[in-house]
């Protein structure tokens, strides 16, 4: 359909539309689903928004694993609420993505077939209760840093979804930090558990910001479209600068011997990230890649009867209504 439309448009007309589009972005105005946009903008946004949606949905799995084992009713309620929030984030984002002309079924199909990516952080296992603390503190903490600039991104539906998502992410970060705080004020064994979780989650959290700026293939274009407002390396540095003092308050040691405050730059210098691990996990060889995808595929297949029942019910309601009005 889109192909035909562009075919009947003259080159001049397209150039005009492109100029209007670029000018809007320059003025910080939002691009809305019905506005004309270059195909590449549409495709890049489908890729990024769906990847984000998949991450929210797959991201429920590592923590969902601990809902039944949360150590108190209060912890269980908070974790349950958090995991439900993530489901909500996934649903807003799928809806935002659908406004770009792709169906929910296609998006799911891309996830289930392994064609679409989701954040690699969720391919790591949650071994102890302290991991739930570390995830909230570090993973949701990193997510906030990634997502706050997206509240100003150029595509309207994405930007608006992010406002609420970010508010909820702050709650997630706090509940995680509070779990860590409680463990760190507890017995030596509890403190060791917190340290062990930090040791395992620290480096994968730094990888959440993506490859370094030199390696990142999409950064330049995404910055131009204001899909990205800061580069991967800038965001990673911001995360480190913000998180190190929080670790100090907990009395935990960040597992990086090269981590040191640099008086000249006003930032923390840090050690080399193991990018081979990052690419291994991205390529599907992380500890839990298979398990996570299988869980999603099974949920889709086992939920088929629910979707069918909901459709049948909606059909019946619709028929009843048309009978009444007709
Ligand atoms: Fe989320
Ligand atoms: Fe979250």
């Amino acid at each position: 359909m889109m192909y035909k439309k562009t075919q009947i448009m003259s080159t001049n007309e397209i150039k005009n539309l492109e100029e209007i589009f670029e000018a809007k972005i320059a003025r910080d105005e939002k691009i809305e689903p019905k506005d004309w946009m270059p195909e590449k903008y549409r495709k890049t946004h489908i890729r990024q928004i769906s990847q984000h949606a998949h991450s929210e949905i797959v991201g429920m799995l590592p923590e969902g694993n601990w809902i039944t084992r949360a150590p108190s009713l209060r912890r269980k309620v908070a974790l349950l609420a958090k995991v439900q929030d993530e489901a909500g984030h996934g649903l807003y984002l799928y809806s935002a993505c659908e406004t770009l002309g792709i169906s929910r079924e296609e998006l799911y199909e891309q996830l289930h077939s392994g064609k679409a990516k989701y954040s690699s952080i969720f391919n790591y296992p949650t071994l102890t209760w302290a991991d739930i603390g570390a995830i909230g503190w570090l993973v949701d903490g990193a997510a906030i840093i990634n997502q706050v600039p997206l509240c100003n991104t150029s595509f309207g539906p994405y930007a608006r979804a992010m406002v609420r998502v970010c508010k909820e992410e702050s709650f997630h970060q706090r509940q995680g930090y509070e779990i860590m705080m409680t463990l760190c004020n507890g017995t030596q064994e509890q403190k060791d558990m917190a340290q062990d979780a930090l040791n395992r989650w620290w480096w994968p959290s730094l990888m959440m910001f993506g490859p370094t700026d030199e390696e990142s293939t999409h950064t330049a274009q995404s910055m131009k479209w204001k899909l990205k407002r800061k580069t991967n390396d800038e965001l990673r540095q911001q995360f480190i600068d913000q998180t190190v003092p929080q670790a100090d308050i907990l009395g935990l040691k960040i597992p990086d011997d090269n981590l040191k405050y640099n008086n000249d730059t006003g930032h923390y210098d840090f050690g080399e990230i193991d990018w081979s691990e990052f690419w291994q996990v991205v390529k599907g060889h992380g500890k839990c890649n298979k398990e996570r995808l299988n869980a999603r595929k099974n949920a889709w297949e086992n939920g088929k009867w629910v979707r069918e029942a909901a459709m049948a019910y909606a059909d019946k309601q619709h028929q009843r209504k048309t009978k009444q009005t007709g």
Side-chain angles (χ1 to χ4, degrees):
M1 286 290 278
M2 287 310 297
Y3 183 62
K4 266 190 195 152
K5 251 191 210 164
T6 39
Q7 256 198 338
I8 44 172
M9 260 192 270
S10 72
T11 353
N12 253 349
E13 274 173 318
I14 294 175
K15 225 183 134 214
N16 245 337
L17 288 170
E18 256 168 19
E19 271 165 23
I20 296 172
F21 170 86
E22 299 288 350
K24 253 192 192 164
I25 294 204
R27 288 194 304 266
D28 267 339
E29 277 171 35
K30 297 285 174 246
I31 306 296
E32 296 300 337
K34 285 185 177 153
D35 295 344
W36 184 89
M37 60 185 84
E39 250 333 88
K40 207 174 158 206
Y41 180 92
R42 184 188 302 277
K43 289 219 172 94
T44 303
H45 276 74
I46 290 177
R47 183 177 55 78
Q48 167 147 348
I49 300 172
S50 65
Q51 195 169 312
H52 191 166
H54 299 325
S55 302
E56 302 283 355
I57 296 298
V58 178
M60 290 192 284
L61 297 170
E63 291 175 290
N65 192 29
W66 277 91
I67 292 172
T68 53
R69 292 178 283 165
S72 69
L73 183 59
R74 180 171 170 270
R75 293 292 185 208
K76 198 189 284 273
V77 170
L79 183 57
L80 198 56
K82 188 216 182 226
V83 173
Q84 280 178 338
D85 282 354
E86 306 300 8
H89 298 173
L91 297 181
Y92 305 144
L93 290 167
Y94 281 130
S95 301
C97 202
E98 282 176 298
T99 67
L100 290 161
I102 185 163
S103 70
R104 188 80 60 109
E105 282 70 22
E106 266 175 280
L107 293 169
Y108 286 151
E109 201 280 321
Q110 291 176 353
L111 173 67
H112 298 158
S113 67
K115 219 170 98 193
K117 297 269 176 276
Y118 56 87
S119 179
S120 278
I121 193 81
F122 303 118
N123 291 318
Y124 289 82
T126 41
L127 303 179
T128 72
W129 171 250
D131 287 22
I132 301 307
I135 289 179
W137 174 34
L138 302 171
V139 176
D140 291 89
I144 295 171
I145 290 184
N146 263 329
Q147 291 172 8
V148 164
L150 290 174
C151 296
N152 290 315
T153 190
S154 61
F155 186 55
Y158 194 26
R160 289 187 290 271
M162 275 306 114
V163 175
R164 175 163 175 180
V165 166
C166 284
K167 281 186 189 157
E168 293 177 347
E169 292 304 345
S170 331
F171 153 66
H172 301 168
Q173 203 262 356
R174 275 158 172 263
Q175 68 89 38
Y177 194 70
E178 201 222 348
I179 291 172
M180 293 304 270
M181 188 66 102
T182 307
L183 290 171
C184 289
N185 287 326
T187 62
Q188 188 57 45
E189 204 182 346
Q190 285 173 314
K191 197 166 179 187
D192 292 346
M193 226 164 87
Q195 181 65 58
D196 169 64
L198 170 59
N199 293 349
R200 283 180 292 107
W201 290 93
W202 175 252
W203 292 103
S205 299
L206 297 191
M207 295 176 200
M208 279 177 75
F209 298 94
T212 56
D213 294 348
E214 300 101 71
E215 295 274 322
S216 172
T217 40
H218 304 297
T219 295
Q221 181 65 75
S222 295
M223 294 283 278
K224 201 176 137 219
W225 282 331
K226 297 183 179 169
L227 172 53
K228 256 189 174 172
R229 295 280 180 151
K230 283 180 178 175
T231 70
N232 295 355
D233 286 334
E234 283 170 330
L235 294 168
R236 186 167 13 247
Q237 186 68 57
Q238 190 184 332
F239 174 75
I240 293 170
D241 291 346
Q242 172 184 305
T243 310
V244 175
Q246 295 170 352
D248 290 342
I249 294 173
L250 293 172
L252 295 179
K253 187 188 176 301
I254 288 183
D256 178 357
D257 291 335
N258 295 315
L259 189 78
K260 204 174 165 246
Y261 188 75
N262 183 328
N263 274 321
D264 298 333
T265 60
H267 297 292
Y268 281 89
D269 292 336
F270 54 96
E272 194 72 39
I273 292 172
D274 179 3
W275 291 109
S276 65
E277 174 184 325
F278 173 78
W279 291 115
Q280 277 294 100
V281 184
V282 170
K283 283 179 190 140
H285 311 300
K287 285 199 176 112
C288 300
N289 293 58
K290 276 206 192 88
E291 191 184 325
R292 302 293 183 235
L293 259 195
N294 283 340
R296 287 315 312 157
K297 278 192 261 186
N298 289 340
W300 178 250
E301 276 151 29
N302 295 337
K304 191 166 173 244
W305 69 272
V306 179
R307 294 192 297 279
E308 282 169 0
M311 288 308 282
Y313 180 73
D315 261 357
K316 247 188 216 168
Q317 292 288 91
H318 180 71
Q319 276 168 18
R320 212 170 281 161
K321 234 184 223 162
T322 40
K323 239 187 223 163
Q324 273 168 8
T325 50

